[in-house]
């Protein structure tokens, strides 16, 4: 009975021990490679680039608030009873802290105190984080499984950005020579070949900017010095 009370699921241990918001070692050269997801089936932290390999697993997004890891209360309540854990509102969503937040100063005033780390809380809360509640349950030798909730499917929110990886991760430029001139074919001055500047982007259209056709210095000087002649009156009869 005591062993059953001390039992803790692996995904709950991973939320407390895994490091989040560090660079992913599998995608160290990719952009937005911070680990901000916990795969509850693999019990590990992953980055957005790893989601494709875990798409059929239960995924829990971890957020950052005042340098601490938080999770949306709506998502966490699908896994475990979060009553008596103080929540905070961030961007119109309620979140709870995952780990302890010990308070250095001694609490003075009205209100409750966290059962594990003595942090001051608002009523009617008794735990400042999920870890504090789990520790309190185990310390009281209660059955933790009674607080767990069955959850077979847990997906990321629709607003979560998942990058689309491609073979070419960087935007690059190439120069392409064109055999046919872009100007008129009946002009000798526009017969010089032109060079097109093509910029390739991932999953985007090709953008082609035509370069100006080269004109000889002699013709350019002639065109700039050309003026309308001075009008002459017809002789008087």
């Amino acid at each position: 009975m005591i062993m059953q009370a001390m039992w803790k699921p692996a995904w709950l241990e991973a939320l407390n021990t895994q490091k989040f918001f560090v660079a992913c070692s599998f995608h160290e050269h990719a952009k937005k490679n911070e680990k901000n997801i916990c795969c509850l089936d693999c019990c590990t932290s992953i980055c957005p680039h790893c989601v494709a390999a875990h798409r059929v697993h239960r995924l829990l997004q971890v957020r950052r608030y005042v340098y601490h890891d938080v999770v949306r209360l709506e998502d966490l309540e699908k896994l475990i009873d979060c009553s008596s854990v103080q929540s905070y509102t961030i961007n119109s969503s309620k979140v709870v802290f995952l780990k302890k937040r010990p308070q250095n100063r001694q609490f003075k005033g009205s209100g409750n105190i966290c059962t594990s780390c003595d942090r001051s809380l608002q009523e009617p809360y008794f735990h400042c984080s999920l870890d504090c509640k789990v520790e309190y349950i185990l310390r009281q030798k209660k059955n933790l499984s009674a607080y767990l909730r069955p959850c077979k499917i847990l997906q990321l929110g629709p607003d979560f950005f998942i990058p689309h990886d491609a073979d070419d991760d960087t935007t690059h430029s190439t120069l392409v020579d064109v055999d046919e001139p872009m100007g008129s074919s009946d002009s000798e001055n526009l017969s010089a070949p032109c060079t097109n500047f093509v910029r390739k982007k991932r999953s985007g259209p090709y953008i082609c900017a035509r370069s100006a056709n080269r004109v000889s210095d002699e013709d350019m000087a002639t065109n700039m010095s050309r003026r309308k002649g001075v009008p002459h009156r017809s002789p008087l009869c």
Side-chain angles (χ1 to χ4, degrees):
M1 185 67 181
I2 297 178
M3 293 297 296
Q4 184 179 2
M6 295 297 294
W7 173 82
K8 184 190 294 187
W11 64 263
L12 190 57
E13 185 70 23
L15 285 176
N16 188 41
T17 58
Q18 285 292 311
K19 291 184 178 180
F20 298 97
F21 295 95
V22 294
C24 177
S25 59
F26 296 103
H27 304 92
E28 58 182 351
H29 299 297
K31 297 181 179 179
K32 297 184 178 180
N33 64 344
E34 283 187 333
K35 294 183 176 182
N36 60 350
I37 308 167
C38 183
C39 179
L40 303 182
D41 294 327
C42 298
C43 301
T44 185
S45 56
I46 61 175
C47 76
H49 298 273
C50 302
V51 171
H54 300 261
R55 59 182 178 273
V56 296
H57 297 171
R58 294 174 300 168
L59 302 178
L60 181 66
Q61 181 181 358
V62 179
R63 293 171 168 82
R64 199 75 166 165
Y65 178 62
V66 291
Y67 304 103
H68 291 278
D69 299 333
V70 298
V71 175
R72 281 203 318 172
L73 180 61
E74 180 183 357
D75 296 334
L76 200 57
E77 281 187 331
K78 298 176 182 178
L79 301 165
I80 189 172
D81 179 16
C82 296
S83 59
S84 301
V85 180
Q86 181 164 325
S87 60
Y88 300 84
T89 302
I90 305 176
N91 296 332
S92 303
S93 298
K94 289 187 176 182
V95 299
V96 294
F97 287 90
L98 290 179
K99 303 176 183 179
K100 293 181 179 181
R101 295 182 301 131
Q103 188 169 341
N104 297 328
R105 294 179 298 177
Q106 188 176 2
F107 172 69
K108 295 180 180 181
S110 59
N112 296 335
I113 300 178
C114 179
T115 56
S116 297
C117 62
D118 297 332
R119 173 172 284 274
S120 59
L121 302 173
Q122 300 176 356
E123 295 182 353
Y125 303 108
F126 295 99
H127 315 288
C128 73
S129 66
L130 176 65
D131 185 36
C132 290
K133 178 171 183 175
V134 172
E135 182 179 308
Y136 173 78
I137 294 173
L138 297 178
R139 190 168 62 244
Q140 296 295 319
K141 298 181 180 180
K142 296 181 180 180
N143 190 358
L144 182 59
S145 59
Y147 296 86
L148 301 178
R149 294 173 177 173
C151 179
K152 296 183 178 180
I153 299 177
L154 186 62
Q155 298 178 344
L156 299 172
D159 58 337
F160 185 81
F161 174 74
I162 301 177
H164 298 281
D165 294 330
D167 295 335
D168 184 11
D169 290 332
T170 58
T171 302
H172 63 277
S173 303
T174 16
L175 291 175
V176 179
D177 292 330
V178 181
D179 295 331
E180 293 292 335
M182 302 300 274
S184 174
S185 59
D186 57 351
S187 175
E188 293 180 358
N189 295 332
L190 302 181
S191 60
C194 75
T195 301
N196 286 353
F197 184 77
V198 181
R199 180 175 296 275
K200 296 183 180 180
K201 290 186 177 181
R202 291 185 299 167
S203 66
Y206 291 101
I207 302 176
C208 174
R210 289 189 301 177
S211 61
N213 294 313
R214 292 175 298 202
V215 183
S216 63
D217 296 338
E218 181 181 355
D219 293 335
M220 183 177 295
T222 303
N223 292 334
M224 293 180 62
S225 62
R226 182 182 300 171
R227 292 184 180 181
K228 188 176 181 181
V230 180
H232 297 279
R233 293 184 182 181
S234 58
L236 296 178
C237 297

